[in-house]
Amino acid sequence: NAGRGSVFNAEGQQEMDASIMCGKTLAAGAVAGIHNVKNPIRLAHKVLAHSDHVLLAGEGAIQFAKQHDITFEENEYFYNKYRFEQWKKLQGSTKSQLDHSEEKDKYFGTVGAVALDQNGHLAAGTSTGGMTNKKFGRIGDSPIIGAGNYANDKTCAVSCTGTGEYFMRGVTAYDVSCLMEYKGLSLVEAAKQAIQKLTQLGGQGGLIALDAQGNIAMPLNCPGMYRGFRQGDGRGFVGIFGEEK
Ligand code: ASP
């Protein structure tokens, strides 16, 4: 559910959000409510690298993309039959839906990545089509720095997926960082507590998180989240359901 194959909104359109953040400088770039941009995360990076702003939305973001050599595609490129049928079931209702909880084996949610380089610098990126049948103009947590995406070399890099409104209210990605910075919690404990707080709010989803020592946490409170990691020594893991790494 990002770029090509994104979910459909209540108007039958694919509107996308993305953000990227550098843990060394705290520089960040984000785009929200964009359409027809082939790789929304590339546009978020352009905002980081080539503007004085952090978040550009809608037609302003599209205009910026045209000025910065970003590739556009026609609607047909983004179309996905499975996504369209998901939307058709909800069309006309006021319900919006997260696909993590819908059908087993089909937990194709938001795409997020966190990375640590050999110099100890962290980064986080998150890209999404949002929630099926979301209102036209609805923006989720993914492009909101601190809600769905955050990186700071002092603490951690975090990328979230789930019911965005709750991650925004819980400021969940930053919450993991704060629990480490102010309470001295380990990454794993901080990530666990942030998801517990999300659960108390009524939110559903999970996050992937990494600290500057290479510790990894991937807690979730929903049936499934496609996730994995690869370490410098070649060790890796992939998971779909609630299994621990
Ligand atoms: N967090 C995304 C949003 O609310 C949806 C998802 O993660 O699948 O826009």
Side-chain angles (χ1 to χ4, degrees), residues 189-235:
E189 191 51 35
K192 190 172 135 196
Q193 287 196 18
I195 289 294
Q196 279 167 356
K197 287 160 79 177
L198 179 86
T199 308
Q200 281 160 14
L201 269 178
Q204 253 202 349
L207 58 86
I208 55 170
L210 178 64
D211 70 14
Q213 285 70 50
N215 296 301
I216 294 163
M218 302 193 287
L220 61 151
N221 74 356
C222 55
M225 175 174 83
Y226 282 21
R227 61 200 185 281
F229 66 73
R230 173 69 66 189
Q231 290 171 318
D233 60 10
R235 278 195 298 141

Side-chain angles (χ1 to χ4, degrees), residues 11 28 32 48 71 80 90 100 110 115 117 124-125 132 167 196 211 225 240-241:
E11 311 292 319
L48 181 158
T71 308
N80 176 284
L90 294 174
H100 299 226
T110 291
D117 73 12
T132 304
F167 284 80
Q196 279 167 356
D211 70 14
M225 175 174 83
I240 300 177
F241 305 108

